[in-house]
């Protein structure tokens, strides 16, 4: 055993030497698997971090600024380095103050360490932890399969204790930050490997169908059963917006948001626009209003007045299709008898909900992305009422993103999407 792991370490050191980014000719995009935690309807990826590399399942959070995971239980990477408080790296990472620890020294327990504030969205609690840097082992892709492994040093990460994990899916022990913040996983990889500033998500709809993919650095994007079709060429493109006011739980005055906002201009049910106060769609100078995309929100959340008019329009269109209502099942407000609904390639045959985005890019939400099966006989419209006192009027949730390919390009400020891949005889899910 001992000699085996020594040998392993030796091979690692060798591959580190030969595959370090500076030796790579043209940067290839990177690929990470995405798995769904079915009970919580949240998504995670497995990162390989530290020396020797340890596999850690981390929740995908498009809003996250810092990545963090639980280092209790023997995580003792030889490559881990604390970031010193007051250092340039600390300032650039948005760190504040100094964090100490009574020892013994290990990753997550060091003195004079740059303080950052990992956020557990399910505890609604801010932690103060020391920021560290560690090695990340990533896989390059040609859009289809893994081509090589790369080691990226100075990946920013904070170690937390197990109590910080409360509320996360029990398949995960941390969170991977995917926002536009400089410390996020994509930002770090873009700059370390000189990749184009793109992150793309293809979320699977069920763990039983295999895994989906996250691409960092751009296309090509190939999907199962579609041969050499490169989906990066056929995405619909709209603007990606920056909310000028931070939506994070802790921020300095004047900070813009790290989250991804898009510009929904109208909502239609089939071909009919839904009417509500359209000023809810704009981001005000106070940061209130507008539309963002969230991987930690299972179902799209709408401001009450949008929700109510959408429900009404959908119910009318559904009744024309002779779809029969049944008693509501929380948290949903519109449920139907399954046996009155037909089926299509893209799920239940229900009215289409269309988000009309800036430059008239139409995000068509078909049955597979609009309906949620709550029992053998009942299916509900998978949108929820967020109330009237909301900061963001529309939070597009993960159910509406599944089996769609979505690409965020930070430097060119574009958001590109495929619509349901099921309509194109493919999906996000594969083995
Ligand atoms: C994880 O949580 C699910 C429910 O969310 C539960 O059914 C399962 O038993 C849990 N697994 C472990 C290992 O605790
Ligand atoms: C941090 O400093 C304190 C006080 O000098 C010391 O007792 C403690 O062991 C140090 N912690 C670590 C992890 O070295
Ligand atoms: C980074 O990539 C761009 C184009 O993709 C290229 O022009 C530039 O020279 C590259 N920089 C380095 C340091 O390799
Ligand atoms: C994105 O733009 C910033 C600022 O203009 C620049 O520093 C960075 O290198 C660019 N990154 C990519 C991946 O193009
Ligand atoms: C629409 O909403 C905006 C902002 O919430 C509000 O100021 C305005 O009065 C509303 N207009 C109407 C016609 O209700
Ligand atoms: C999907 O497959 C059907 C037949 O199975 C075919 O008629 C259709 O053209 C295909 N669609 C696309 C987008 O490839």
């Amino acid at each position: 055993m001992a000699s085996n792991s020594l040998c392993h370490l030796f091979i690692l050191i060798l591959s580190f030497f030969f595959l370090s980014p500076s030796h790579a000719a043209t940067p290839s995009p990177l690929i990470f698997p995405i798995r769904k935690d079915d009970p919580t309807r949240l998504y995670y990826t497995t990162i390989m971090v530290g020396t020797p590399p340890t596999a850690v399942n981390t929740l995908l959070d498009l809003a996250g600024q810092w990545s963090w995971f639980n280092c209790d239980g023997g995580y003792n990477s030889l490559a881990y380095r604390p970031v010193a408080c007051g250092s340039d790296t600390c300032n650039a990472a948005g760190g504040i103050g100094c964090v100490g620890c009574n020892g013994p020294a290990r990753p997550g327990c060091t003195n004079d360490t740059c303080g950052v504030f990992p956020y557990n969205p399910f505890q609604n609690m801010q932690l103060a932890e020391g920021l560290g840097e560690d090695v990340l082992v990533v896989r390059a892709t040609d859009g289809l399969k893994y081509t090589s492994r790369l080691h990226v040093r100075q990946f920013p990460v904070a170690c937390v204790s197990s109590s910080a994990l409360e509320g996360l899916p029990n398949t995960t022990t941390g969170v991977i930050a995917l926002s536009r913040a400089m410390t996020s996983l994509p930002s770090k990889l873009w700059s370390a490997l000189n990749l184009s500033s793109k992150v793309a998500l293809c979320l699977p709809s069920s763990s039983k169908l295999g895994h989906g993919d996250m691409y960092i650095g751009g296309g090509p994007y190939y999907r199962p059963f579609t041969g050499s079709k490169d989906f990066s060429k056929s995405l619909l493109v709209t603007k990606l917006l920056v909310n000028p006011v931070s939506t994070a739980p802790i921020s300095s005055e004047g900070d813009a948001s790290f989250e991804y906002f898009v510009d929904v201009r109208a909502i239609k049910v089939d071909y009919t626009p839904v009417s509500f106060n359209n000023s809810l769609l704009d981001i005000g100078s106070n940061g209130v209003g507008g539309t963002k995309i969230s991987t930690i929100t299972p179902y799209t959340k709408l401001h009450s007045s949008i929700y109510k008019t959408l429900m009404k329009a959908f119910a009318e269109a559904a009744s024309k299709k002779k779809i029969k209502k049944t008693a509501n099942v929380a948290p949903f407000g519109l449920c139907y008898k399954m046996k009155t609904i037909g089926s299509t390639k893209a799920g239940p045959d229900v009215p289409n909900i269309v988000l009309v985005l800036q430059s008239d890019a139409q995000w068509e939400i078909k049955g597979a992305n609009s309906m949620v099966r709550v029992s053998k006989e009942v299916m509900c419209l998978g949108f929820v009422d967020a109330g009237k006192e909301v900061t963001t009027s529309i939070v597009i949730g993960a159910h509406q993103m599944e089996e769609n390919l979505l690409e965020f390009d930070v430097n060119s400020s574009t958001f590109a999407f495929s619509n349901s891949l099921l309509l194109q005889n493919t999906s996000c899910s594969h083995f």
Side-chain angles (χ1 to χ4, degrees):
M1 280 298 276
S3 70
N4 204 344
S5 62
L6 260 184
C7 177
H8 194 63
L9 191 63
F10 182 66
I11 290 167
L12 270 168
I13 291 166
L14 266 184
S15 57
F16 182 78
F17 196 74
F18 289 116
L19 294 177
S20 68
S22 54
H23 294 251
T26 31
S28 315
L30 308 174
I31 192 167
F32 294 79
I34 299 180
R35 294 195 171 77
K36 183 173 184 178
D37 182 76
D38 292 325
T40 58
R41 298 172 172 273
L42 296 167
Y43 306 82
Y44 61 94
T45 189
T46 306
I47 56 168
M48 295 296 290
V49 64
T51 305
T54 303
V56 183
N57 287 341
T58 48
L59 182 76
L60 302 182
D61 183 6
L62 281 174
Q65 183 173 0
W66 297 285
S67 301
W68 50 275
F69 61 88
N70 176 20
C71 294
D72 296 353
Y75 181 79
N76 212 350
S77 166
L78 298 171
Y80 178 90
R81 299 281 176 274
V83 172
C85 44
S87 64
D88 291 347
T89 310
C90 180
N91 293 335
I96 298 169
C98 277
V99 176
C101 175
N102 275 329
R106 61 175 177 86
C109 184
T110 52
N111 279 331
D112 307 317
T113 305
C114 175
V116 292
F117 310 95
Y119 179 63
N120 179 334
F122 306 103
Q123 278 183 320
N124 205 9
M125 195 177 89
Q126 198 86 42
L127 313 154
E129 300 287 347
L131 182 67
E133 292 179 333
D134 214 330
V135 166
L136 194 69
V137 186
V138 294
R139 292 171 124 170
T141 182
D142 56 6
L144 192 62
K145 58 186 184 309
Y146 305 131
T147 51
S148 60
R149 292 213 291 181
L150 301 170
H151 291 68
V152 175
R153 279 173 286 184
Q154 296 166 341
F155 171 61
V157 69
C159 278
V160 303
S161 63
S162 50
S163 61
L165 301 178
E166 217 180 298
L168 295 192
N170 61 12
T171 43
T172 66
T173 57
V175 170
I176 198 87
L178 300 180
S179 75
R180 62 171 78 235
M182 265 185 61
T183 40
S184 74
L185 173 79
S187 297
K188 192 66 205 176
L189 296 176
W190 297 332
S191 63
L193 301 172
N194 193 31
L195 296 171
S196 77
S197 61
K198 295 175 180 173
V199 54
L201 299 178
C202 207
L203 302 181
S205 48
S206 162
S207 67
K208 293 173 196 75
L209 302 172
H211 66 86
D213 302 288
M214 171 165 70
Y215 302 92
I216 293 182
Y221 307 129
Y222 301 112
R223 304 309 315 158
F225 319 117
T226 49
S228 58
K229 181 177 158 102
D230 173 7
F231 284 80
S232 73
K233 301 277 194 290
S234 56
L235 302 176
L236 303 176
V237 183
T238 181
K239 245 185 356 206
L240 189 61
L241 303 182
V242 177
N243 188 328
V245 181
S246 177
T247 39
I250 283 194
S251 62
S252 314
E253 212 178 304
D255 279 358
S257 171
F258 294 125
E259 295 190 73
Y260 299 105
F261 281 76
V262 293
D263 197 9
V264 171
R265 296 282 88 214
I267 300 178
K268 294 191 288 191
V269 171
D270 287 337
Y271 300 101
T272 314
V274 177
S275 68
F276 50 84
N277 182 344
N278 270 49
S279 66
L280 290 170
L281 298 176
D282 299 325
I283 301 172
S285 54
N286 57 356
V288 174
T291 303
K292 70 177 180 186
I293 300 184
S294 169
T295 42
I296 58 164
T297 304
Y299 307 107
T300 296
K301 293 199 289 196
L302 303 170
H303 182 288
S304 276
S305 67
I306 302 178
Y307 178 82
K308 289 201 180 90
T309 49
L310 176 63
M311 290 297 118
K312 190 162 169 280
F314 189 92
E316 279 165 15
S319 94
K320 285 192 196 128
K321 290 178 88 99
K322 308 260 186 296
I323 298 173
K324 295 275 177 289
K325 277 193 207 174
T326 185
N328 288 336
V329 177
F332 305 114
L334 193 53
C335 296
Y336 291 100
K337 291 181 180 155
M338 266 215 358
K339 61 169 192 257
T340 66
I341 304 179
S343 76
T344 72
K345 208 147 79 167
D349 185 9
V350 295
N352 282 338
I353 295 174
V354 183
L355 304 180
V356 183
L357 293 150
Q358 183 269 346
S359 74
D360 205 35
Q362 315 232 350
W363 187 338
E364 295 190 22
I365 302 173
K366 307 268 180 191
N369 293 105
S370 61
M371 303 306 289
V372 178
R373 195 170 169 171
V374 296
S375 72
K376 270 210 180 91
E377 284 99 33
V378 179
M379 219 173 227
C380 302
L381 185 58
F383 288 75
V384 298
D385 186 348
K388 282 199 163 71
E389 304 301 318
V390 292
T391 307
T392 302
S393 305
I394 302 178
V395 180
I396 298 176
H399 185 67
Q400 278 69 41
M401 296 157 59
E402 285 175 347
E403 314 294 4
N404 283 246
L405 181 63
L406 311 178
E407 181 195 71
F408 304 85
D409 185 335
V410 168
N411 271 24
S412 52
S413 291
T414 54
F415 169 65
F417 59 98
S418 64
N419 277 322
S420 180
L421 293 175
L422 302 176
L423 292 172
Q424 303 190 47
N425 300 340
T426 185
S427 74
C428 288
S429 313
H430 61 102
F431 286 97

